[in-house]
Amino acid sequence: MTDGLFVAFEGLDGAGTTTQARRAAAFVADETDRSPARSAEPTDGPVGTQIRRCLEGEIEFDPETLALLFAADRLDHLHREIEPRLEAGDVVLVDRYSLSSFAYQRADGVDADWLRTINARARPPDVTVFLDVPPAVCVERITADGRGADRFERVETLEAVDAAYREAIDAEREAGNDVRVVDGTQSENAVADEVTATIERFL
Ligand code: TYD
């Protein structure tokens, strides 16, 4: 049986991860003989639901507890959805994965080594696509969308998250994991073309 392919999409809020994961799934469905499987973190499972309640300000967790919840949601996601689809030979496209924790929770003051420890059981994706968009552009996009800014969406916060993403990308590459940086300020079609070219190389 064909091996599955595990692709994670990463970037700041407003970078376009959801749009590009959707476009990549359409490409896999229409242009290849493989089946796409899309999902996102935080998930809509039991742990992810608590995380979303926190992001919406309904309940409060300290940064370390939230980091543990994201790590738990990730393992649940991996075991419940990602691994079965990979075993079936599908192309699994996830909107956010461990790199989000290394960026967002790190920017929220959580220790980098401890974040690695609690995420150590979450196998790395075959390739991570990082959509590179400057924080100020992300905030403009979020505002233009009419979406409310959650706790991670203020520009200064996004600047800290962006810096943490860069460090995390270097660390991933040093660990032998594949991270591709795509200029996310290009047109939606141009970004999609670059992303699909990247994915195609793994098929
Ligand atoms: P997001 O993809 O923006 O969800 P939606 O588009 O449905 O609002 O994710 C919600 C937020 O969660 C986003 O600001 C990033 C944050 N996040 C973390 O802080 N750590 C993580 O490990 C993950 C997966 C997400």
Side-chain angles (χ1 to χ4, degrees):
M1 194 204 290
T2 331
D3 286 340
L5 178 69
F6 181 10
V7 186
F9 289 82
E10 292 281 357
L12 298 175
D13 301 279
T17 56
T18 308
T19 304
Q20 291 301 332
R22 178 177 50 74
R23 298 272 313 239
F27 162 79
V28 172
D30 299 344
E31 313 286 341
T32 77
D33 56 2
R34 310 283 291 273
S35 300
R38 265 185 70 202
S39 57
E41 292 184 10
T43 69
D44 53 11
V47 185
T49 304
Q50 299 311 310
I51 295 171
R52 289 204 178 276
R53 290 180 67 203
C54 175
L55 296 180
E56 280 155 21
E58 201 187 313
I59 51 174
E60 211 173 306
F61 292 115
D62 63 86
E64 291 189 338
T65 305
L66 190 57
L68 286 167
L69 288 173
F70 274 117
D73 186 41
R74 184 156 302 126
L75 269 196
D76 183 45
H77 184 202
L78 185 67
H79 297 153
R80 198 198 298 266
E81 291 181 51
I82 299 173
E83 285 176 342
R85 301 306 295 261
L86 289 176
E87 275 158 30
D90 293 348
V91 178
V92 179
L93 305 147
V94 302
D95 188 348
R96 300 193 175 285
Y97 194 66
S98 352
L99 210 62
S100 281
S101 283
F102 301 149
Y104 284 85
Q105 276 58 64
R106 179 76 198 99
D108 217 7
V110 182
D111 180 74
D113 288 337
W114 186 68
L115 283 170
R116 297 219 160 262
T117 302
I118 63 174
N119 282 282
R121 296 285 185 271
R123 59 156 283 184
D126 296 306
V127 60
T128 297
V129 176
F130 176 73
L131 301 176
D132 193 358
V133 178
V137 176
C138 288
V139 170
E140 262 170 46
R141 287 183 183 178
I142 295 163
T143 316
D145 265 8
R147 280 199 281 147
D150 72 22
R151 63 187 286 198
F152 295 121
E153 287 174 353
R154 287 170 300 127
V155 74
E156 318 85 78
T157 313
L158 286 189
E159 270 160 11
V161 176
D162 191 56
Y165 257 129
R166 316 255 159 211
E167 277 179 25
I169 290 169
D170 288 346
E172 286 303 302
R173 286 176 168 166
E174 252 166 57
N177 297 326
D178 200 334
V179 184
R180 307 290 167 113
V181 177
V182 172
D183 176 0
T185 63
Q186 306 174 85
S187 72
E188 185 187 313
N189 284 341
V191 176
D193 286 347
E194 240 186 277
V195 171
T196 52
T198 300
I199 293 174
E200 227 173 354
R201 270 179 253 148
F202 288 84
L203 293 174

